[in-house]
Amino acid sequence: MSKAEIDALTAEFFGTLDTRGGRAAGLDRLRDLVVPGGVICKTGPDYAAYTVEEFIAPREALLSGGRLAEFSEWETAERTDIVGDIASRFGTYGKSGVLDGEPFEGGGSQTFQFVRTPQGWRITAYSWYDAP
């Protein structure tokens, strides 16, 4: 059951960014999916580490301000290791959308760290690397 719950949590994480079909991004939901004090990191030449609030603010502006439309990200492959109440997931993702009127596609690598809390599985850390 844990793997299915982690699969659903991961899909919900990506779903918070989905604006296809004119839907509004659900970034507020990240506050429930990530534990308090959780960290989100972007690697590569534009390295950044974010709190959940720091991650939400610029993406909310981008996804609701008209520059980025029809956006979605999805997992393309994964490997999940679960030991008791901790889990680690490494995989790849794809993404697509329309930025400043130009369609784009991309993807990269990602990793999640999870813990089982009294409320169920939650994300403690997420890191990603956009492929060039």
Side-chain angles (χ1 to χ4, degrees):
M1 185 61 161
S2 292
K3 174 70 163 61
E5 292 167 349
I6 289 169
D7 290 346
L9 177 57
T10 301
E12 190 171 359
F13 176 87
F14 284 115
T16 66
L17 299 162
D18 194 336
T19 62
R20 291 174 297 172
R23 83 174 54 116
L27 289 163
D28 288 346
R29 180 77 178 113
L30 289 174
R31 292 180 182 99
D32 295 325
L33 303 179
V34 180
V35 298
V39 64
I40 299 172
C41 291
K42 179 180 186 208
T43 64
D46 299 326
Y47 170 81
Y50 306 97
T51 65
V52 170
E53 295 304 320
E54 291 167 340
F55 181 79
I56 290 173
R59 281 151 191 85
E60 202 163 57
L62 183 64
L63 291 166
S64 66
R67 285 193 60 217
L68 181 57
E70 295 300 310
F71 183 72
S72 67
E73 283 189 341
W74 60 94
E75 195 168 51
T76 56
E78 59 82 15
R79 183 190 79 237
T80 302
D81 296 318
I82 303 168
V83 180
D85 290 338
I86 61 172
S88 180
R89 185 176 185 111
F90 184 81
T92 55
Y93 65 91
K95 63 181 176 178
S96 67
V98 178
L99 180 61
D100 296 329
E102 295 293 324
F104 73 92
E105 292 183 359
S109 300
Q110 65 185 9
T111 183
F112 287 90
Q113 299 297 313
F114 302 94
V115 295
R116 189 187 337 247
T117 72
Q119 296 76 37
W121 287 97
R122 296 294 183 264
I123 299 164
T124 61
Y126 172 72
S127 299
W128 83 95
Y129 171 76
D130 282 327

